[in-house]
Structures are given as structure tokens and as C-alpha cells.
Amino acid sequence: MDPDKVTEFMGQVVADMAATDAAGSVVIGERLGLYRSLAEGPATPGDLAARTGCHERYLTEWLRGQAAGGYVTYEPATELFSLTPEQAFCLADPDGPNVPAAFRTGLGTLRAEPKITEAFRTGEGVGWHEHDEDVFVGCDAFYRPGYVAELVPTWIPALTGVQDKLHAGARIGDVGCGLGSSTRLLAAAYPNSSVVGVDYHEESITLARKRTAEAGLTDRVSFEVGTAQTFAGSGYDLITMFDCLHDMGDPLGAARRVREALADDGTWLLVEPAASDVVEENFNPVGRLFYSASVFLCLPNSLSQPGGYSLGAQAGESAVRQIAADAGFTRFRLAAQTGFNAVFEIRP
């Protein structure tokens, strides 16, 4: 055993423990509006207490911990804490990367640890609906900025002939829509088209309907509680699935249903986590994040459903391509890619 390598490894452990413990502080900062208040200008703990109504002593400890982690900036000469424009964009702007939402999702996910531990022993699944509400709300808030940045500006134009159809007026199905952020983005961008959002999780659909009414889009958006294998309708010009196929126990059944529901010249826009077919090429920070999420969310959900599949969040392109081919699709291509997602265009 090399003592230096032990020390090096323990340094990694300390960094991981610090990040894990800090997750709660990030969520507190979002819930109490601390980041938003700090984005207004530099502050001492007392200043921030006056702005937010929170207790100064708690804020002192919170600010120092945030500065130690690089999430807040500190100026020793003035003893002022502040956010750089980049930190404010990531932490205080809901239309930015919305980092606090990612941590909210993480904390909500970890509340299922006893259930997941038992599932390791039994091999049984844990359904998406069995998780804490922070998982549903956090996921939606975290993924929405990415959809805002990519869906209409980049992903739709990357599909063959789809953008023109949507502008002219098309029928869209958003399967696995969650709280409906992607559904509303499509409806807002293409007012001549109609969009149906589908999700098996009734609580998410309830929130999706509420937010859609608040956005004034109910004239062209509807939602239904249903599975990807049984959703209603036919003749869809575009069916979308965002980061959900790998969560399903029967992704092949879902792909077959998409094939049945599409118009003859329709398109399936499938967005999945970016992953290599070579396992060790996923051994990086993004892969670590996705494998961890898969252990708690994706894999347990698929094992809770009939179908016999358990793809996991890092399934890779080959597995997805095979499912599309087995479902009867003949055209499959990678249309776009980000650091987190692979965007596939799949057609009959």
C-alpha cells in the first residue's frame, strides 16, 4: 500500500463529502431567496439579514461556507460577500442553469435511500411516483433552462423538415412530459400547432395543467395521464421524448406505440443522456452523475414496471438504435448533441 496514494484518495473523499454536505446549503439559499438577494449587491451577513429577514448568525455561517466552496465571492479588505455575474446567472437566475434546482433534485433523490438499499437486496423496483416531490419539481426546474436554450433554437431545426411543419400547424405528442415545461415551449413557439403532453405520474400532470393555464396556453395544449405504451391518438407529425425512454421497463413497447401513432412522414425526437457505448469512456464527472442518478431514479423505475428492460441512464446509442429498429423504424441519426444529451431523429 502506498501512503501517498491513500492521502490522495482521502483528498478526493473530503472534496466529495464537502460537496455532499453543501448541497443542503445551496437548496436553503434558493428557498430563502439568499442568492437572489445577494445578486442585488455585495453584503455583510448583517446586510443580508436586513434584506432577507433571516438570522444573521446563520447567514454568517452560510456565507462563509458558500465562499469556501466557490459559490460566493468574498473580499477580505471590506468583509463583503457578493456574486460575480457568472455565479448570479447560475445560482439566482431561474432562466440560467438553475444550479439550486439540481441540488434540490439530489436531496429529494437521497431521501429514498432506505427504499433503494432494500431494492438492492430484493431486486424489486422503486417507481418514480414513490419519490419525494422535490425530485419532480427539481427535475423540471433544472431541465427547463436547457430546453429553453436548445429545443426551439437548435434541436427542432436540426430535424429534417420538422420546423416548417410546426410553423404551418402540426400535431405534437410530448410523451413523458413531467410538469410540461417542454410541452409549453413547443406550444409557445409554434402557435399553429397543437400539443398533447402525456405522463403516467398524475401529480406531475396536475401541476402541468395548472402551469399551462397560468401561461394562457390551454387553447392549444392538453394533457393526459397515460403510459408511453398506451397513450391515445394517431397521426402525430412529431412525437418527443426527453430523458425518459431509459427510465421505462418496456422501452420497446413505447417505441412501437410511437411508430403506430406517428403519421407516415412523422418524426420521433428522442433526447437521451449522452453516453458512450464503451463503458470506461463514461468514467468522467458527467458519467458519474448519471450513473448515480440511475441507481436512485432511472434503474429502479424501470424495474418497477413490466417489460424486462433496465437500460439505465448511460445506455448509449447502440442500445437505443436497436430498440428503434426492433420497433420498425428504418431511419435513425444523431441530429444534435450537448455535453449532457444526445438528440436522435428517428423516422419510419
Side-chain angles (χ1 to χ4, degrees):
M1 183 174 65
D2 185 336
D4 290 338
K5 290 184 178 179
V6 172
T7 300
E8 180 183 356
F9 177 68
M10 287 306 298
Q12 177 185 340
V13 170
V14 170
D16 288 347
M17 288 180 62
T20 302
D21 288 349
S25 292
V26 174
V27 173
I28 287 171
E30 193 277 330
R31 290 194 197 277
L32 297 178
L34 304 183
Y35 293 119
R36 292 189 297 276
S37 182
L38 196 58
E40 296 172 3
T44 64
D47 296 334
L48 196 59
R51 292 181 195 172
T52 64
C54 294
H55 195 279
E56 181 177 346
R57 185 64 188 89
Y58 276 102
L59 289 173
T60 300
E61 214 74 358
W62 182 84
L63 284 164
R64 291 174 179 175
Q66 292 292 288
Y71 280 45
V72 164
T73 301
Y74 178 65
E75 177 51 60
T78 61
E79 298 185 346
L80 289 171
F81 295 88
S82 62
L83 293 177
T84 66
E86 296 77 16
Q87 289 168 333
F89 178 60
C90 293
L91 294 165
D93 186 345
D95 292 325
N98 206 339
V99 168
F103 284 98
R104 182 176 181 181
T105 304
L107 288 186
T109 298
L110 292 176
R111 293 189 185 109
E113 177 271 320
K115 295 179 182 178
I116 301 301
T117 299
E118 184 61 21
F120 267 71
R121 296 190 178 102
T122 64
E124 295 180 357
V126 178
W128 179 259
H129 61 282
E130 298 181 65
H131 283 276
D132 189 272
E133 183 184 40
D134 276 350
V135 172
F136 323 132
V137 177
C139 274
D140 178 79
F142 177 64
Y143 279 102
R144 189 185 67 82
Y147 297 153
V148 170
E150 300 286 354
L151 176 54
V152 173
T154 304
W155 295 346
I156 294 295
L159 305 177
T160 306
V162 169
Q163 183 170 244
D164 289 343
K165 285 184 182 180
L166 300 189
H167 280 305
R171 181 167 167 76
I172 307 169
D174 187 13
V175 179
C177 67
L179 275 62
S181 283
S182 53
T183 319
R184 288 186 294 277
L185 283 171
L186 289 166
Y190 306 106
N192 293 326
S193 295
S194 62
V195 193
V196 179
V198 181
D199 202 284
Y200 96 96
H201 185 227
E202 188 168 359
E203 183 180 341
S204 290
I205 290 296
T206 298
L207 288 171
R209 286 171 175 154
K210 178 176 183 292
R211 294 183 180 186
T212 300
E214 292 169 349
L217 293 170
T218 53
D219 60 322
R220 54 186 181 273
V221 178
S222 62
F223 292 95
E224 68 175 73
V225 178
T227 72
Q229 296 79 18
T230 61
F231 65 91
S234 61
Y236 288 98
D237 299 290
L238 175 68
I239 292 178
T240 60
M241 286 188 187
F242 299 100
D243 286 295
C244 62
L245 185 73
H246 65 273
D247 294 316
M248 299 177 190
D250 186 12
L252 178 57
R256 286 173 173 160
R257 176 65 194 125
V258 171
R259 178 67 182 85
E260 293 172 352
L262 277 175
D264 291 340
D265 61 345
T267 300
W268 181 16
L269 169 60
L270 177 64
V271 180
E272 281 287 291
S276 172
D277 292 327
V278 181
V279 171
E280 59 269 26
E281 292 181 359
N282 298 317
F283 295 168
N284 53 58
V286 173
R288 185 187 187 193
L289 175 65
F290 284 159
Y291 280 124
S292 297
S294 191
V295 166
F296 272 79
L297 296 173
C298 313
L299 180 63
N301 187 67
S302 65
L303 291 173
S304 75
Q305 300 175 353
Y309 282 83
S310 51
L311 292 177
Q314 295 283 266
E317 181 175 331
S318 293
V320 176
R321 182 186 292 271
Q322 187 62 56
I323 286 171
D326 291 345
F329 289 94
T330 63
R331 288 171 284 180
F332 183 105
R333 73 179 181 95
L334 180 66
Q337 191 164 5
T338 71
F340 291 96
N341 287 114
V343 182
F344 300 111
E345 177 187 90
I346 307 173
R347 303 182 69 189

